[in-house]
Amino acid sequence: MGDRQVVIGVAVLRAGQVLVARRGGADGGWEFPGGKVEPGETDEAAGERELVEELGLHVSVGKSFGLEEPIGERYLLRVYFAELVAGEPVLHEHAEIRWVGPAELDQLDWLAPDRPFLSVLREQLTSG
């Protein structure tokens, strides 16, 4: 999987909830906001940059979920936890955003590549 472009998802946590985003259009499922890692950029820097661009949020990206999930043949998704530093989310690229708790995670129609990360997220949200 070394030739795939890395895509970062960011799980911004606040008060026992996580910020999730829903894409518009035909693939309109829920996902962790984020985007592609640019050449020479760390995963963490990409996550921080993407959240400013997509949601107007300043975050501090921390620990990885420890998983990688292929997206088709070209991409590889990694998800990281992040702490909100400044801002409130503003829609720039998504159809909808929400803060959700662990009980609501299974009620959302997640994009397939994001689903394997939900058990790690649920554990983090319920353990504090």
Side-chain angles (χ1 to χ4, degrees):
M1 290 199 223
D3 58 345
R4 294 174 185 247
Q5 174 155 15
V6 174
V7 176
I8 298 304
V10 181
V12 182
L13 304 182
R14 179 175 79 178
Q17 296 184 313
V18 63
L19 183 66
V20 297
R22 186 177 60 79
R23 288 187 185 180
D27 63 349
W30 290 89
E31 66 179 355
F32 299 104
K36 296 175 187 158
V37 177
E38 300 297 336
E41 192 174 41
T42 65
D43 289 1
E44 293 84 355
E48 292 171 4
R49 175 185 51 77
E50 286 285 348
L51 265 72
V52 169
E53 292 174 4
E54 288 187 3
L55 297 169
L57 292 179
H58 295 275
V59 300
S60 176
V61 174
K63 180 176 78 163
S64 166
F65 277 42
L67 305 171
E68 296 181 331
E69 186 67 25
I71 304 173
E73 298 294 321
R74 297 181 52 205
Y75 301 103
L76 185 66
L77 177 62
R78 297 177 183 154
V79 179
Y80 287 77
F81 290 106
E83 181 178 322
L84 182 61
V85 175
E88 284 296 322
V90 177
L91 289 175
H92 292 292
E93 298 184 16
H94 293 92
E96 186 178 354
I97 48 179
R98 285 187 202 167
W99 290 98
V100 299
E104 299 164 279
L105 293 176
D106 291 332
Q107 297 170 14
L108 301 176
D109 181 20
W110 287 89
L111 294 174
D114 292 71
R115 289 182 191 141
F117 298 92
L118 295 178
S119 61
V120 176
L121 175 61
R122 187 176 292 103
E123 184 177 318
Q124 179 69 29
L125 290 173
T126 55
S127 69

